[in-house]
Amino acid sequence: MSSEQAKITSKMVRGLVNHLVKKGVSRELVLSQLQIDEQDLNNPDYYFLLEIYNDLYQLGEVQTGDTCLGMSFGLDSDPDVGSQFGLIARTCETVADVLKYQLRFSSLVRNFDRFEIITEGENFIIRWSSESPTTFHLIEEIFSRRSAFINNYVLGAGNTFFKQVDFRHSLNNRDHTYLETIMDCPIKFEQPYNQIISSQSALKLTLKTPDRDLREFYEGLAQKKLVEQSQNSIVARVSRLLMNALPDVLTLEHLSEDLSVSPRTLQRQLQQNGYTLKELCNEVKRKVALESLKAGHSLVTISYKLGFSEQSAFQRAFKRWQGCTPKEFQQLYLHNLNTEE
């Protein structure tokens, strides 16, 4: 993946925890074994690392003996209800609309996978892939959620919506018939892709509760959430605080107080995004230095602004960050600027 680590929304983690508890697993055992914080679990804006979700499935299978845990959880869940995307999906007019919004807003749920829509002859294919390692339980959960959504919210779908489902992983000596019953179609394992194959005519099927006004309202909320997701991530929020405090450097304790979280939680959230506080401080200083050099500020002014005691210390730091001196960067930037003109 990119520098951003694979994450999954707290809603999905909470849903799986609750499902395991319903199946008889001790909630205290789950939280303690995986070191899940109850406060994070109930925070709608919190994201867990994907590896936590994979480990949760591993623990769940051991505790329940359910080798089809992902399928059963996906079937048992009210499909995506409560998420921004789920609210939109239920109010769409057609299946094609649902797929359009899924492509647009799926990152509100998780950031490590992607859906691809492919047409082949009379068929359309929903192909799923991930850049990060995922347990087969998670893949089957995602697919069985689609089946549950079709059965619950699409008119006239019945058993004819999915022609076939393909999985890359193996059956692993499980009950093939049971899995096909959940998906309402034939399933093939050890295939080149994870995908759902359906007829293009199914795209025109209508939903049971279309509501254009509600859909537009939820779409606005989801779009706002996407913007907030990029602007108000923990990295962005800490970066703004660090930038506003320059030339002073804020401590972890000071930052955690401003953000109303514990120092331990803040440290963990930064680590989940690939940063230590020191690394993020340097990244903020680097960006401020670049913008200041582009604006033509003197090296003395920039050094003071970034909290360096001497200009030479700033020059050494900048060369570590960029591989060139501040003067060399300024000359290169001005040369490129004049060339563009």
Side-chain angles (χ1 to χ4, degrees), residues 263-320:
R264 183 179 69 86
T265 297
L266 177 57
Q267 185 176 44
R268 185 174 69 250
Q269 290 176 342
L270 289 176
Q271 289 173 345
Q272 288 175 346
N273 284 274
Y275 286 101
T276 64
L277 180 56
K278 182 179 180 180
E279 290 169 343
L280 189 54
C281 283
N282 284 330
E283 177 63 12
V284 167
K285 289 182 177 181
R286 183 186 73 85
K287 289 181 178 179
V288 171
L290 291 177
E291 292 305 313
S292 299
L293 289 169
K294 290 177 182 178
H297 297 167
S298 70
L299 299 190
V300 173
T301 299
I302 299 173
S303 299
Y304 175 78
K305 184 177 183 178
L306 298 183
F308 288 97
S309 58
E310 298 178 354
Q311 180 179 317
S312 58
F314 163 61
Q315 291 174 305
R316 288 193 298 271
F318 189 87
K319 191 163 187 178
R320 287 197 307 272

Side-chain angles (χ1 to χ4, degrees), residues 78-82 85-93 98 149 153 207-211:
D78 194 0
D80 295 322
V81 172
F85 166 67
L87 294 171
I88 294 171
R90 294 174 62 190
T91 57
C92 284
E93 294 181 8
V98 174
F149 181 86
Y153 297 109
L207 272 70
K208 298 176 181 178
T209 57
D211 190 318

Side-chain angles (χ1 to χ4, degrees), residues 15 28 33 39 69 110 112 129 139 143 170 211 216 218 233 286 302 325 332 335:
E28 290 72 23
Q33 284 285 317
Q39 182 178 354
L69 187 58
R110 50 189 179 270
F112 56 84
S129 60
I139 300 170
F143 278 50
S170 302
D211 190 318
E216 291 177 354
Y218 291 140
S233 69
R286 183 186 73 85
I302 299 173
T325 67
L332 180 62
H335 172 74

Side-chain angles (χ1 to χ4, degrees), residues 6-48:
K7 295 180 291 185
I8 196 163
T9 183
S10 61
K11 176 185 180 298
M12 289 190 66
V13 178
R14 185 171 66 252
L16 182 51
V17 170
N18 291 340
H19 181 70
L20 293 177
V21 171
K22 189 163 70 172
K23 291 176 74 70
V25 182
S26 164
R27 188 179 188 86
E28 290 72 23
L29 172 67
V30 172
L31 298 183
S32 63
Q33 284 285 317
L34 298 180
Q35 297 183 331
I36 295 176
D37 191 305
E38 190 78 58
Q39 182 178 354
D40 293 338
L41 196 64
N42 291 291
N43 181 353
D45 297 320
Y46 188 80
Y47 284 78
F48 287 88

Side-chain angles (χ1 to χ4, degrees), residues 176-193:
H176 198 165
T177 301
Y178 169 69
L179 296 175
E180 289 185 332
T181 300
I182 292 177
M183 295 302 301
D184 287 335
C185 71
I187 299 178
K188 291 186 177 181
F189 291 87
E190 299 182 34
Q191 299 301 301
Y193 302 103

